[in-house]
Amino acid sequence: MVIFARMRVVEKNGKKEVYDPIRKKYVVLTPEEQVRQFVIGFLTEQCKVPLGYISVETGLKVYGNFCRTDLRVYNKRQEPVLLIECKQPAVELNAEVLEQAMRYHLAAKERFVLLTNGHSFRCYERLSSGEWKEWNRYPDWEEMNA
């Protein structure tokens, strides 16, 4: 059984907030934010990604529209290598969610794209041929830097 660092949750003005170690501040604890914080814990503790290589809600321009990615991981060369789209647990990881993540991918060309709702995930790697390979796990820090 894997146990991650406990989320630091407080209540302010009747709302629960969680400490985000990337943004270094408390943010409202929505179902999607809970998934995002779980993924940050998984990336740092299981995949061994240093905290400084993860960004939250990075802005991108896609087809002239401004979008925000949930999480992005950069490799040691500071190149975006993993794009993560987090959905609240009730959202199914369907073709629409995959399409949204792939639109974001067009702007930065990450090697890996991952979708998660906290219960399940789908991970894809863009091969040098341009084809996509589905993984049955998250890539680790060494693989992100290969």
Side-chain angles (χ1 to χ4, degrees):
M1 175 185 234
V2 177
I3 299 176
F4 303 105
R6 305 231 185 272
M7 287 187 236
R8 294 188 341 208
V9 179
V10 297
E11 191 164 324
K12 291 183 183 175
N13 300 321
K15 292 185 180 181
K16 288 187 177 182
E17 295 186 356
V18 62
Y19 185 77
D20 182 324
I22 308 291
R23 294 177 274 188
K24 295 182 174 35
K25 67 178 185 177
Y26 282 90
V27 295
V28 175
L29 183 60
T30 63
E32 184 177 309
E33 188 63 43
Q34 188 167 359
V35 170
R36 185 182 294 132
Q37 293 305 317
F38 171 81
V39 172
I40 290 170
F42 189 87
L43 288 170
T44 57
E45 295 181 33
Q46 291 300 120
C47 301
K48 304 302 181 198
V49 176
L51 207 53
Y53 289 88
I54 304 170
S55 68
V56 176
E57 294 190 331
T58 304
L60 291 175
K61 276 233 171 185
V62 179
Y63 298 124
N65 296 318
F66 183 76
C67 304
R68 288 190 185 275
T69 62
D70 284 309
L71 294 168
R72 289 174 85 188
V73 177
Y74 297 82
N75 61 20
K76 292 177 182 175
R77 295 175 302 281
Q78 292 300 312
E79 302 161 333
V81 69
L82 171 62
L83 171 95
I84 303 171
E85 180 62 28
C86 298
K87 295 296 184 187
Q88 60 182 300
V91 174
E92 180 185 344
L93 301 179
N94 58 23
E96 184 179 328
V97 175
L98 178 59
E99 185 178 307
Q100 176 187 5
M102 290 302 180
R103 276 194 311 268
Y104 294 167
H105 164 74
L106 289 174
K109 308 283 190 235
E110 291 89 350
R111 180 174 158 205
F112 297 98
V113 173
L114 189 135
L115 318 172
T116 186
N117 61 11
H119 296 298
S120 60
F121 71 91
R122 293 169 64 185
C123 182
Y124 303 90
E125 177 187 17
R126 188 184 78 237
L127 304 175
S128 59
S129 66
E131 296 178 339
W132 288 92
K133 171 186 165 186
E134 188 164 2
W135 284 41
N136 61 1
R137 61 181 177 80
Y138 282 54
D140 66 26
W141 180 238
E142 287 182 26
E143 290 164 324
M144 290 181 213
N145 285 284

